[in-house]
Amino acid sequence: MQRRDFLKSSILASGMALVPSFLKGMEMLNPQNLSGYKNIVIIQLSGGNDGLNTIVPVGNDIYHRLRPNIAKSREATIRIQDNLAFNDNLKALAKLYDQGELCLINNVGYPNPNRSHFRSSDIWHTASSAGEYLKTGWIGRYLDANCQYPYQAIEVDKGLSLTLKGEKMNGIAVDNPNLLFNNTREPFFKNIVTNANTALLHESNQGYLYKTMLETYSSASYIKEKSKIYHTKMQYPNSGFAKDLKTIANFIVSGLDTRVYYSSLGGFDSHVNQLKSQDKLLATYAEGIAALVTDLKQNDRFDDTLILTFSEFGRRVKQNASNGTDHGTANNVFVIGGKLKKAGVYNEVPNLSKLDANGDLIHTVDFRSVYATILNNWLMVNDTTILNGDFDKLGFV
Amino acid sequence: MKRVLTDKEIQHLYWRAGFGITYHELIKMRGLSKQKIVAHIFAKSTNEQLLELDLKMLEKGDKKMSKVEKNTIQKLHNEKLLELNQLWFMQMKTTEGVLRERMTLFFQNHFSVRMRHATYMKDLHNRIRKNALGNFGELLLEVSKTPAMLRFLNAKQNRKGQPNENFAREVMELFTLGRDNGYTEKDIKEAARAFTGWGFNKQGQFVFKEKHHDFDNKTILGSTGNFDGEAVIKLLLKEKQTAHYLSIKLYKYLVNDTPNPEHVKSMANAFYSSGYNIKTWLESVFMSDWFYDKQHIGVKIKSPVDLITGLSRQFDVHFNKSKVLIYLQRQLNQMLFYPPNVAGWLGGTHWIDNSTLMIRLKLSSVILNGGMIDTSLKEDMPENIMMQGQNSKAKKYGIQKQVDASVDWQVVLVMVQDLDKEILTNFFIQPQLSITAQQLIKESVHLDHKNFIVKLLSLPEYQLC
């Protein structure tokens, strides 16, 4: 590398040199200076979580009649209202509910629902309508419009969800920040990055490789150095999901400029014997969330964090022959946070006596209203350009 | 006049029909007509090369097992699946019948099943392998009746009166017509009824259970009749949309991420009119003029399997620890026999994220040169000192720590030692070089052949084929 190039790379890489000495001072920073950033953690329950056995309409006869083998009895639930109860694997969520830190939004979906995992996931990820095919995710468009750096949206996972892919910028997928950083230290790669002419990158696979490489370089050392500030001592449950949430907690408490975190928990496609599989997954989910919330509370970050949980669709009201449920439509969404404007049950419970032609729930809240609320009321950005439309805001924040 | 392929075009054909080409093979193919080379590739793939692995120890017998025994056998299944994985990988690395491997990969991903059951997975794989260059209709029917598929998509639980839609939905959405292409929710419900009664016995053989089958009339895709599962599959094959949907998928797999409607149409016509003959279908690609068009050369992102297999074949890489292959597949998100879900791997840019890209870029130097990209680097920069210190002190991280491989450089160098740098570049790098890469190569021409090659293989361009 020539000296000129080295200087160029130092400028480009400001903050990504070996171990910047200024970091030592950073560890002393007053936690108050770190806060003021509002975060959103988005969690997808992949595979289509059965919302009716998650938040159970326990007093509803139709529910028990259509699910003779898999309906939850009152004893197997934690009561919210006369008609509504948490699956008893969601003890941690019930506690948050009692403390006014959980908002439950029922019947969230979109018109002309698609029952394919992949298509419906794409719809939720891109915030499109059922008939519209978009190549960018809603968080990707937020990055494009409102952020300077790819690391302002991080997926702690293997692979990057479409949600975080934008036109100009993609979010960062990171599993292990140290490993990612170490892999960027190769001099030859730095040479490539320094010499890469961004203006010449075109929309080909080759351009995509260079673009991803540049984004990685602009983020890897930032994430690694910044996330050193806080390493939780708290015990998290022993699951891959909890481990991802722990990484997210480290990032949030360390004060990364990241506004959006994304992770997912898979396996909810419960066509067969769903009681066993779903209950186990819900317990994994709730225990992970409980650890994350406790960690954030201990570090005064819960008030400026919002945790959104969704699934690509709910499941059919009527059980199938294999003690499972087939793909359905509208579903419940959870919003968890320390500063909710409206906690508890946000809207009317599912109407099981009025189903669509397939025997599925009919949505009453468009999922893009949830996104619009988060973008506008929480992240304080213009939601209409990101969502390509004006959706009603909800009052949960 | 018979068309003679250029080196670049031969390499293109071999990357797409197989896993790249060695310089030795390239010399043998030079000057041959397109027909001859394509025929040669098919001829080499005649053998089915079924994966052989003794799985007798997994047989359960009739007696009821304790929980401990069940756990032991599950562990054995997991181990055997990994052995199967490595067996397949080794076959892809060493076989001459690359096209069969290429198409087995395609259909294994098309009929994407994930199940911790080595016996069923081996059976599914070998059935796919057997039919991979045969007839798609037979392949579809055979696969649909495997214990792996029946269990994975719950066809077994699909009974008269209370159908389970899982298989009926996926057979239309994923295996034949494609999502939202000419079928309705009603068609799925009716097809599920037609598939009722499908199951398998303890020996893993397909059985039709009459008492669970719904013998009433069904209306599917506009036809009404007393259809059973086989009849539904015939109905789906009768739809030209099936040939069209599969052709889009194959086009993306073999040619370009962006389908050209005209090319796809010619593939679909060949496929449909031949009664779903896979060989005819592939010839409609490899024998066409458009396949060799510049716009398709070097534009596809290699899958992790392509990347590892391609490198292993060109350099005859020997992995000193058998678990290395598993480790790499995990890190790069393509674990054979463990697809992410029923849709399989999406391919293309989906292979690439921040972590996988950096590992992929580093992979060649780790396998070929102990992690060093340029051993001639001057030690005047802190990072170079750091990198070299790291290697000499064996303070390795990540893939460097895990990947233990050896390569006989002499064999490679004997083949290419007299080639100039431009020819070397043209041989190892399929795409047109970016301006950045051109510049970096220009600065590297003074390097010896070994260092130069490692550098070429560390360029982002090497990730493309």
Side-chain angles (χ1 to χ4, degrees), chain A residues 114 116 173 182 186-187 190 205 210 216 271-272 316 321-322 358, chain B residues 154 157 162 164-165 173 180 257 299 354 362 383-384 397 434 461:
Chain A
N114 196 300
S116 151
N182 279 333
E186 169 61 49
K190 280 204 172 176
N205 280 335
Y210 275 92
T216 309
H271 288 278
V272 174
R316 184 107 359 117
S322 349
N358 258 303
Chain B
N154 316 121
Q157 291 92 349
Q162 274 184 309
N164 184 309
E165 291 170 12
E173 177 181 326
D180 302 333
D257 292 350
V299 295
N354 316 102
K362 188 85 190 168
E383 274 144 19
N384 294 343
Y397 57 81
S434 65
E461 275 79 354

PDB file of all heavy atoms in Angstrom, chain A residues 114 116 173 182 186-187 190 205 210 216 271-272 316 321-322 358, chain B residues 154 157 162 164-165 173 180 257 299 354 362 383-384 397 434 461:
ATOM      1  N   ASN A 114     -52.139 -13.449   2.449  1.00  0.00           N
ATOM      2  CA  ASN A 114     -51.470 -14.544   1.763  1.00  0.00           C
ATOM      3  C   ASN A 114     -51.002 -15.548   2.808  1.00  0.00           C
ATOM      4  O   ASN A 114     -50.396 -15.187   3.806  1.00  0.00           O
ATOM      5  CB  ASN A 114     -50.277 -14.003   0.966  1.00  0.00           C
ATOM      6  CG  ASN A 114     -49.784 -15.007  -0.050  1.00  0.00           C
ATOM      7  OD1 ASN A 114     -49.384 -16.111   0.315  1.00  0.00           O
ATOM      8  ND2 ASN A 114     -49.817 -14.641  -1.310  1.00  0.00           N
ATOM      9  N   SER A 116     -48.883 -18.086   2.420  1.00  0.00           N
ATOM     10  CA  SER A 116     -47.544 -18.665   2.239  1.00  0.00           C
ATOM     11  C   SER A 116     -46.587 -17.999   3.234  1.00  0.00           C
ATOM     12  O   SER A 116     -46.598 -16.779   3.392  1.00  0.00           O
ATOM     13  CB  SER A 116     -47.071 -18.409   0.809  1.00  0.00           C
ATOM     14  OG  SER A 116     -45.669 -18.323   0.777  1.00  0.00           O
ATOM     15  N   ALA A 173     -25.556  -7.485   9.564  1.00  0.00           N
ATOM     16  CA  ALA A 173     -25.845  -8.750  10.234  1.00  0.00           C
ATOM     17  C   ALA A 173     -24.623  -9.147  11.023  1.00  0.00           C
ATOM     18  O   ALA A 173     -23.538  -9.245  10.456  1.00  0.00           O
ATOM     19  CB  ALA A 173     -26.170  -9.826   9.214  1.00  0.00           C
ATOM     20  N   ASN A 182     -12.270  -9.079  13.369  1.00  0.00           N
ATOM     21  CA  ASN A 182     -11.009  -9.738  13.034  1.00  0.00           C
ATOM     22  C   ASN A 182     -10.900 -10.046  11.555  1.00  0.00           C
ATOM     23  O   ASN A 182      -9.833  -9.922  10.964  1.00  0.00           O
ATOM     24  CB  ASN A 182     -10.859 -11.031  13.835  1.00  0.00           C
ATOM     25  CG  ASN A 182     -10.357 -10.747  15.235  1.00  0.00           C
ATOM     26  OD1 ASN A 182      -9.670  -9.748  15.461  1.00  0.00           O
ATOM     27  ND2 ASN A 182     -10.717 -11.590  16.166  1.00  0.00           N
ATOM     28  N   GLU A 186      -7.446  -7.879   7.528  1.00  0.00           N
ATOM     29  CA  GLU A 186      -6.507  -8.277   6.486  1.00  0.00           C
ATOM     30  C   GLU A 186      -6.090  -7.054   5.641  1.00  0.00           C
ATOM     31  O   GLU A 186      -6.946  -6.370   5.073  1.00  0.00           O
ATOM     32  CB  GLU A 186      -7.203  -9.324   5.616  1.00  0.00           C
ATOM     33  CG  GLU A 186      -6.517  -9.675   4.334  1.00  0.00           C
ATOM     34  CD  GLU A 186      -5.134 -10.248   4.561  1.00  0.00           C
ATOM     35  OE1 GLU A 186      -5.017 -11.159   5.392  1.00  0.00           O
ATOM     36  OE2 GLU A 186      -4.183  -9.774   3.918  1.00  0.00           O
ATOM     37  N   PRO A 187      -4.785  -6.781   5.535  1.00  0.00           N
ATOM     38  CA  PRO A 187      -4.335  -5.594   4.790  1.00  0.00           C
ATOM     39  C   PRO A 187      -4.824  -5.563   3.342  1.00  0.00           C
ATOM     40  O   PRO A 187      -5.196  -4.504   2.846  1.00  0.00           O
ATOM     41  CB  PRO A 187      -2.806  -5.717   4.827  1.00  0.00           C
ATOM     42  CG  PRO A 187      -2.514  -6.585   5.993  1.00  0.00           C
ATOM     43  CD  PRO A 187      -3.676  -7.496   6.169  1.00  0.00           C
ATOM     44  N   LYS A 190      -8.266  -4.281   3.207  1.00  0.00           N
ATOM     45  CA  LYS A 190      -8.294  -2.832   3.437  1.00  0.00           C
ATOM     46  C   LYS A 190      -7.904  -2.092   2.174  1.00  0.00           C
ATOM     47  O   LYS A 190      -8.453  -1.057   1.837  1.00  0.00           O
ATOM     48  CB  LYS A 190      -7.333  -2.479   4.572  1.00  0.00           C
ATOM     49  CG  LYS A 190      -7.933  -2.739   5.924  1.00  0.00           C
ATOM     50  CD  LYS A 190      -7.280  -1.887   6.983  1.00  0.00           C
ATOM     51  CE  LYS A 190      -8.065  -2.062   8.266  1.00  0.00           C
ATOM     52  NZ  LYS A 190      -7.461  -1.361   9.376  1.00  0.00           N
ATOM     53  N   ASN A 205     -24.303  -8.219  -9.148  1.00  0.00           N
ATOM     54  CA  ASN A 205     -23.821  -8.984  -8.010  1.00  0.00           C
ATOM     55  C   ASN A 205     -22.432  -8.536  -7.596  1.00  0.00           C
ATOM     56  O   ASN A 205     -22.101  -8.505  -6.419  1.00  0.00           O
ATOM     57  CB  ASN A 205     -23.818 -10.475  -8.344  1.00  0.00           C
ATOM     58  CG  ASN A 205     -25.205 -11.076  -8.220  1.00  0.00           C
ATOM     59  OD1 ASN A 205     -26.043 -10.560  -7.480  1.00  0.00           O
ATOM     60  ND2 ASN A 205     -25.458 -12.152  -8.934  1.00  0.00           N
ATOM     61  N   TYR A 210     -18.986  -5.603  -3.460  1.00  0.00           N
ATOM     62  CA  TYR A 210     -18.173  -4.454  -3.040  1.00  0.00           C
ATOM     63  C   TYR A 210     -18.921  -3.589  -2.036  1.00  0.00           C
ATOM     64  O   TYR A 210     -18.364  -3.129  -1.046  1.00  0.00           O
ATOM     65  CB  TYR A 210     -17.746  -3.632  -4.264  1.00  0.00           C
ATOM     66  CG  TYR A 210     -16.491  -4.166  -4.934  1.00  0.00           C
ATOM     67  CD1 TYR A 210     -16.564  -5.079  -5.962  1.00  0.00           C
ATOM     68  CD2 TYR A 210     -15.227  -3.755  -4.500  1.00  0.00           C
ATOM     69  CE1 TYR A 210     -15.412  -5.581  -6.555  1.00  0.00           C
ATOM     70  CE2 TYR A 210     -14.068  -4.247  -5.084  1.00  0.00           C
ATOM     71  CZ  TYR A 210     -14.162  -5.157  -6.118  1.00  0.00           C
ATOM     72  OH  TYR A 210     -13.017  -5.658  -6.701  1.00  0.00           O
ATOM     73  N   THR A 216     -19.379  -3.309   5.614  1.00  0.00           N
ATOM     74  CA  THR A 216     -18.791  -4.066   6.712  1.00  0.00           C
ATOM     75  C   THR A 216     -17.640  -3.280   7.319  1.00  0.00           C
ATOM     76  O   THR A 216     -17.516  -3.165   8.541  1.00  0.00           O
ATOM     77  CB  THR A 216     -18.272  -5.424   6.196  1.00  0.00           C
ATOM     78  OG1 THR A 216     -19.317  -6.061   5.472  1.00  0.00           O
ATOM     79  CG2 THR A 216     -17.859  -6.317   7.347  1.00  0.00           C
ATOM     80  N   HIS A 271     -48.087 -27.568  12.388  1.00  0.00           N
ATOM     81  CA  HIS A 271     -49.136 -28.358  11.739  1.00  0.00           C
ATOM     82  C   HIS A 271     -49.501 -29.607  12.541  1.00  0.00           C
ATOM     83  O   HIS A 271     -50.566 -30.171  12.354  1.00  0.00           O
ATOM     84  CB  HIS A 271     -48.685 -28.791  10.342  1.00  0.00           C
ATOM     85  CG  HIS A 271     -48.647 -27.678   9.349  1.00  0.00           C
ATOM     86  ND1 HIS A 271     -49.773 -27.238   8.696  1.00  0.00           N
ATOM     87  CD2 HIS A 271     -47.638 -26.895   8.913  1.00  0.00           C
ATOM     88  CE1 HIS A 271     -49.444 -26.249   7.878  1.00  0.00           C
ATOM     89  NE2 HIS A 271     -48.151 -26.021   7.999  1.00  0.00           N
ATOM     90  N   VAL A 272     -48.562 -30.071  13.364  1.00  0.00           N
ATOM     91  CA  VAL A 272     -48.748 -31.345  14.047  1.00  0.00           C
ATOM     92  C   VAL A 272     -48.434 -31.212  15.537  1.00  0.00           C
ATOM     93  O   VAL A 272     -47.443 -30.578  15.906  1.00  0.00           O
ATOM     94  CB  VAL A 272     -47.817 -32.416  13.427  1.00  0.00           C
ATOM     95  CG1 VAL A 272     -47.890 -33.704  14.213  1.00  0.00           C
ATOM     96  CG2 VAL A 272     -48.202 -32.674  11.989  1.00  0.00           C
ATOM     97  N   ARG A 316     -55.139 -21.028  11.525  1.00  0.00           N
ATOM     98  CA  ARG A 316     -56.563 -21.300  11.385  1.00  0.00           C
ATOM     99  C   ARG A 316     -57.216 -21.503  12.748  1.00  0.00           C
ATOM    100  O   ARG A 316     -56.613 -22.097  13.657  1.00  0.00           O
ATOM    101  CB  ARG A 316     -56.738 -22.555  10.523  1.00  0.00           C
ATOM    102  CG  ARG A 316     -58.130 -22.935  10.191  1.00  0.00           C
ATOM    103  CD  ARG A 316     -58.544 -22.672   8.739  1.00  0.00           C
ATOM    104  NE  ARG A 316     -57.569 -22.076   7.863  1.00  0.00           N
ATOM    105  CZ  ARG A 316     -57.081 -22.678   6.792  1.00  0.00           C
ATOM    106  NH1 ARG A 316     -57.472 -23.879   6.457  1.00  0.00           N
ATOM    107  NH2 ARG A 316     -56.236 -22.070   6.003  1.00  0.00           N
ATOM    108  N   ALA A 321     -56.503 -32.348  11.675  1.00  0.00           N
ATOM    109  CA  ALA A 321     -56.642 -33.721  12.165  1.00  0.00           C
ATOM    110  C   ALA A 321     -55.426 -34.178  12.956  1.00  0.00           C
ATOM    111  O   ALA A 321     -55.466 -35.194  13.635  1.00  0.00           O
ATOM    112  CB  ALA A 321     -56.852 -34.660  10.984  1.00  0.00           C
ATOM    113  N   SER A 322     -54.328 -33.440  12.861  1.00  0.00           N
ATOM    114  CA  SER A 322     -53.089 -33.894  13.496  1.00  0.00           C
ATOM    115  C   SER A 322     -52.792 -33.120  14.783  1.00  0.00           C
ATOM    116  O   SER A 322     -51.628 -32.974  15.150  1.00  0.00           O
ATOM    117  CB  SER A 322     -51.929 -33.750  12.523  1.00  0.00           C
ATOM    118  OG  SER A 322     -52.354 -33.476  11.226  1.00  0.00           O
ATOM    119  N   ASN A 358     -62.274 -18.958   4.544  1.00  0.00           N
ATOM    120  CA  ASN A 358     -61.369 -20.049   4.866  1.00  0.00           C
ATOM    121  C   ASN A 358     -61.473 -20.493   6.323  1.00  0.00           C
ATOM    122  O   ASN A 358     -60.794 -21.421   6.738  1.00  0.00           O
ATOM    123  CB  ASN A 358     -59.925 -19.603   4.639  1.00  0.00           C
ATOM    124  CG  ASN A 358     -59.385 -20.140   3.339  1.00  0.00           C
ATOM    125  OD1 ASN A 358     -59.385 -21.339   3.125  1.00  0.00           O
ATOM    126  ND2 ASN A 358     -58.960 -19.247   2.479  1.00  0.00           N
TER     127      ASN A 358
ATOM    128  N   ASN B 154     -46.316 -33.668   6.705  1.00  0.00           N
ATOM    129  CA  ASN B 154     -47.482 -34.169   7.424  1.00  0.00           C
ATOM    130  C   ASN B 154     -48.532 -34.843   6.570  1.00  0.00           C
ATOM    131  O   ASN B 154     -49.710 -34.849   6.920  1.00  0.00           O
ATOM    132  CB  ASN B 154     -48.183 -33.046   8.232  1.00  0.00           C
ATOM    133  CG  ASN B 154     -47.198 -32.177   8.959  1.00  0.00           C
ATOM    134  OD1 ASN B 154     -47.166 -30.978   8.739  1.00  0.00           O
ATOM    135  ND2 ASN B 154     -46.392 -32.788   9.805  1.00  0.00           N
ATOM    136  N   GLN B 157     -50.531 -37.503   8.406  1.00  0.00           N
ATOM    137  CA  GLN B 157     -51.654 -37.158   9.284  1.00  0.00           C
ATOM    138  C   GLN B 157     -52.861 -36.640   8.530  1.00  0.00           C
ATOM    139  O   GLN B 157     -53.866 -36.262   9.126  1.00  0.00           O
ATOM    140  CB  GLN B 157     -51.236 -36.093  10.316  1.00  0.00           C
ATOM    141  CG  GLN B 157     -50.272 -36.586  11.345  1.00  0.00           C
ATOM    142  CD  GLN B 157     -48.834 -36.349  10.910  1.00  0.00           C
ATOM    143  OE1 GLN B 157     -48.560 -36.010   9.775  1.00  0.00           O
ATOM    144  NE2 GLN B 157     -47.915 -36.547  11.844  1.00  0.00           N
ATOM    145  N   GLN B 162     -60.712 -34.681   8.168  1.00  0.00           N
ATOM    146  CA  GLN B 162     -59.918 -33.617   8.770  1.00  0.00           C
ATOM    147  C   GLN B 162     -58.574 -33.504   8.072  1.00  0.00           C
ATOM    148  O   GLN B 162     -57.551 -33.963   8.576  1.00  0.00           O
ATOM    149  CB  GLN B 162     -59.727 -33.888  10.257  1.00  0.00           C
ATOM    150  CG  GLN B 162     -60.872 -33.347  11.086  1.00  0.00           C
ATOM    151  CD  GLN B 162     -60.622 -33.541  12.562  1.00  0.00           C
ATOM    152  OE1 GLN B 162     -60.312 -34.643  12.998  1.00  0.00           O
ATOM    153  NE2 GLN B 162     -60.740 -32.478  13.319  1.00  0.00           N
ATOM    154  N   ASN B 164     -55.053 -32.266   6.477  1.00  0.00           N
ATOM    155  CA  ASN B 164     -53.915 -31.415   6.828  1.00  0.00           C
ATOM    156  C   ASN B 164     -53.364 -30.873   5.512  1.00  0.00           C
ATOM    157  O   ASN B 164     -52.962 -31.634   4.639  1.00  0.00           O
ATOM    158  CB  ASN B 164     -52.864 -32.253   7.556  1.00  0.00           C
ATOM    159  CG  ASN B 164     -51.690 -31.420   8.034  1.00  0.00           C
ATOM    160  OD1 ASN B 164     -51.091 -30.666   7.277  1.00  0.00           O
ATOM    161  ND2 ASN B 164     -51.362 -31.565   9.303  1.00  0.00           N
ATOM    162  N   GLU B 165     -53.354 -29.561   5.374  1.00  0.00           N
ATOM    163  CA  GLU B 165     -53.074 -28.941   4.070  1.00  0.00           C
ATOM    164  C   GLU B 165     -51.606 -28.821   3.716  1.00  0.00           C
ATOM    165  O   GLU B 165     -51.263 -28.374   2.630  1.00  0.00           O
ATOM    166  CB  GLU B 165     -53.638 -27.515   4.052  1.00  0.00           C
ATOM    167  CG  GLU B 165     -55.119 -27.451   4.056  1.00  0.00           C
ATOM    168  CD  GLU B 165     -55.607 -26.020   4.280  1.00  0.00           C
ATOM    169  OE1 GLU B 165     -54.785 -25.082   4.204  1.00  0.00           O
ATOM    170  OE2 GLU B 165     -56.798 -25.849   4.547  1.00  0.00           O
ATOM    171  N   GLU B 173     -47.265 -24.724  -4.309  1.00  0.00           N
ATOM    172  CA  GLU B 173     -46.506 -23.478  -4.140  1.00  0.00           C
ATOM    173  C   GLU B 173     -45.027 -23.648  -4.460  1.00  0.00           C
ATOM    174  O   GLU B 173     -44.404 -22.768  -5.053  1.00  0.00           O
ATOM    175  CB  GLU B 173     -46.667 -22.966  -2.706  1.00  0.00           C
ATOM    176  CG  GLU B 173     -45.851 -21.709  -2.447  1.00  0.00           C
ATOM    177  CD  GLU B 173     -45.977 -21.205  -1.021  1.00  0.00           C
ATOM    178  OE1 GLU B 173     -47.063 -21.346  -0.430  1.00  0.00           O
ATOM    179  OE2 GLU B 173     -44.990 -20.660  -0.496  1.00  0.00           O
ATOM    180  N   ASP B 180     -48.782 -18.416  -5.853  1.00  0.00           N
ATOM    181  CA  ASP B 180     -49.798 -17.539  -6.451  1.00  0.00           C
ATOM    182  C   ASP B 180     -49.864 -17.664  -7.971  1.00  0.00           C
ATOM    183  O   ASP B 180     -50.069 -16.694  -8.675  1.00  0.00           O
ATOM    184  CB  ASP B 180     -49.539 -16.069  -6.076  1.00  0.00           C
ATOM    185  CG  ASP B 180     -49.532 -15.867  -4.570  1.00  0.00           C
ATOM    186  OD1 ASP B 180     -50.188 -16.654  -3.872  1.00  0.00           O
ATOM    187  OD2 ASP B 180     -48.877 -14.919  -4.090  1.00  0.00           O
ATOM    188  N   ASP B 257     -29.401 -14.468 -12.300  1.00  0.00           N
ATOM    189  CA  ASP B 257     -30.399 -14.195 -11.253  1.00  0.00           C
ATOM    190  C   ASP B 257     -31.649 -13.522 -11.820  1.00  0.00           C
ATOM    191  O   ASP B 257     -32.727 -13.601 -11.235  1.00  0.00           O
ATOM    192  CB  ASP B 257     -29.813 -13.279 -10.163  1.00  0.00           C
ATOM    193  CG  ASP B 257     -28.731 -13.984  -9.362  1.00  0.00           C
ATOM    194  OD1 ASP B 257     -28.580 -15.203  -9.525  1.00  0.00           O
ATOM    195  OD2 ASP B 257     -28.044 -13.303  -8.574  1.00  0.00           O
ATOM    196  N   VAL B 299     -21.381 -13.674 -13.522  1.00  0.00           N
ATOM    197  CA  VAL B 299     -22.332 -12.784 -12.845  1.00  0.00           C
ATOM    198  C   VAL B 299     -23.079 -13.457 -11.708  1.00  0.00           C
ATOM    199  O   VAL B 299     -23.867 -12.819 -11.017  1.00  0.00           O
ATOM    200  CB  VAL B 299     -23.366 -12.190 -13.837  1.00  0.00           C
ATOM    201  CG1 VAL B 299     -22.663 -11.295 -14.839  1.00  0.00           C
ATOM    202  CG2 VAL B 299     -24.151 -13.287 -14.537  1.00  0.00           C
ATOM    203  N   ASN B 354     -22.522  -9.506   5.988  1.00  0.00           N
ATOM    204  CA  ASN B 354     -21.229  -8.988   6.418  1.00  0.00           C
ATOM    205  C   ASN B 354     -20.302 -10.098   6.886  1.00  0.00           C
ATOM    206  O   ASN B 354     -19.136 -10.135   6.517  1.00  0.00           O
ATOM    207  CB  ASN B 354     -21.436  -7.977   7.546  1.00  0.00           C
ATOM    208  CG  ASN B 354     -22.578  -7.053   7.232  1.00  0.00           C
ATOM    209  OD1 ASN B 354     -23.669  -7.210   7.738  1.00  0.00           O
ATOM    210  ND2 ASN B 354     -22.326  -6.125   6.332  1.00  0.00           N
ATOM    211  N   LYS B 362     -11.701 -14.557   2.818  1.00  0.00           N
ATOM    212  CA  LYS B 362     -10.497 -15.042   3.500  1.00  0.00           C
ATOM    213  C   LYS B 362     -10.237 -16.526   3.215  1.00  0.00           C
ATOM    214  O   LYS B 362      -9.119 -17.017   3.393  1.00  0.00           O
ATOM    215  CB  LYS B 362     -10.724 -14.819   5.002  1.00  0.00           C
ATOM    216  CG  LYS B 362      -9.542 -15.079   5.894  1.00  0.00           C
ATOM    217  CD  LYS B 362      -8.635 -13.873   5.999  1.00  0.00           C
ATOM    218  CE  LYS B 362      -7.352 -14.290   6.702  1.00  0.00           C
ATOM    219  NZ  LYS B 362      -6.297 -13.363   6.637  1.00  0.00           N
ATOM    220  N   GLU B 383      -0.319  -2.894  10.659  1.00  0.00           N
ATOM    221  CA  GLU B 383      -1.243  -4.015  10.447  1.00  0.00           C
ATOM    222  C   GLU B 383      -0.560  -5.228   9.828  1.00  0.00           C
ATOM    223  O   GLU B 383      -0.903  -6.363  10.113  1.00  0.00           O
ATOM    224  CB  GLU B 383      -2.409  -3.587   9.571  1.00  0.00           C
ATOM    225  CG  GLU B 383      -3.500  -2.955  10.407  1.00  0.00           C
ATOM    226  CD  GLU B 383      -4.168  -1.828   9.687  1.00  0.00           C
ATOM    227  OE1 GLU B 383      -4.049  -1.765   8.456  1.00  0.00           O
ATOM    228  OE2 GLU B 383      -4.793  -1.012  10.374  1.00  0.00           O
ATOM    229  N   ASN B 384       0.431  -4.954   8.975  1.00  0.00           N
ATOM    230  CA  ASN B 384       1.151  -6.074   8.383  1.00  0.00           C
ATOM    231  C   ASN B 384       1.945  -6.815   9.437  1.00  0.00           C
ATOM    232  O   ASN B 384       2.014  -8.039   9.444  1.00  0.00           O
ATOM    233  CB  ASN B 384       2.083  -5.591   7.280  1.00  0.00           C
ATOM    234  CG  ASN B 384       1.286  -5.030   6.120  1.00  0.00           C
ATOM    235  OD1 ASN B 384       0.098  -5.295   6.026  1.00  0.00           O
ATOM    236  ND2 ASN B 384       1.930  -4.252   5.280  1.00  0.00           N
ATOM    237  N   TYR B 397      -7.307 -16.765  14.554  1.00  0.00           N
ATOM    238  CA  TYR B 397      -8.692 -16.563  14.966  1.00  0.00           C
ATOM    239  C   TYR B 397      -9.631 -17.130  13.917  1.00  0.00           C
ATOM    240  O   TYR B 397      -9.250 -17.329  12.772  1.00  0.00           O
ATOM    241  CB  TYR B 397      -8.970 -15.073  15.178  1.00  0.00           C
ATOM    242  CG  TYR B 397      -8.686 -14.245  13.953  1.00  0.00           C
ATOM    243  CD1 TYR B 397      -9.604 -14.153  12.917  1.00  0.00           C
ATOM    244  CD2 TYR B 397      -7.480 -13.568  13.827  1.00  0.00           C
ATOM    245  CE1 TYR B 397      -9.324 -13.415  11.785  1.00  0.00           C
ATOM    246  CE2 TYR B 397      -7.199 -12.822  12.707  1.00  0.00           C
ATOM    247  CZ  TYR B 397      -8.120 -12.744  11.690  1.00  0.00           C
ATOM    248  OH  TYR B 397      -7.849 -12.013  10.569  1.00  0.00           O
ATOM    249  N   SER B 434     -13.415  -5.422 -11.862  1.00  0.00           N
ATOM    250  CA  SER B 434     -13.744  -4.041 -11.518  1.00  0.00           C
ATOM    251  C   SER B 434     -12.473  -3.208 -11.683  1.00  0.00           C
ATOM    252  O   SER B 434     -11.358  -3.744 -11.724  1.00  0.00           O
ATOM    253  CB  SER B 434     -14.214  -3.960 -10.076  1.00  0.00           C
ATOM    254  OG  SER B 434     -13.163  -4.304  -9.199  1.00  0.00           O
ATOM    255  N   GLU B 461     -14.070 -10.611  -6.826  1.00  0.00           N
ATOM    256  CA  GLU B 461     -14.431 -11.202  -8.117  1.00  0.00           C
ATOM    257  C   GLU B 461     -14.411 -12.726  -8.082  1.00  0.00           C
ATOM    258  O   GLU B 461     -15.114 -13.378  -8.842  1.00  0.00           O
ATOM    259  CB  GLU B 461     -13.479 -10.698  -9.218  1.00  0.00           C
ATOM    260  CG  GLU B 461     -13.875  -9.363  -9.827  1.00  0.00           C
ATOM    261  CD  GLU B 461     -13.496  -8.173  -8.958  1.00  0.00           C
ATOM    262  OE1 GLU B 461     -13.029  -8.386  -7.822  1.00  0.00           O
ATOM    263  OE2 GLU B 461     -13.677  -7.035  -9.420  1.00  0.00           O
TER     264      GLU B 461
END
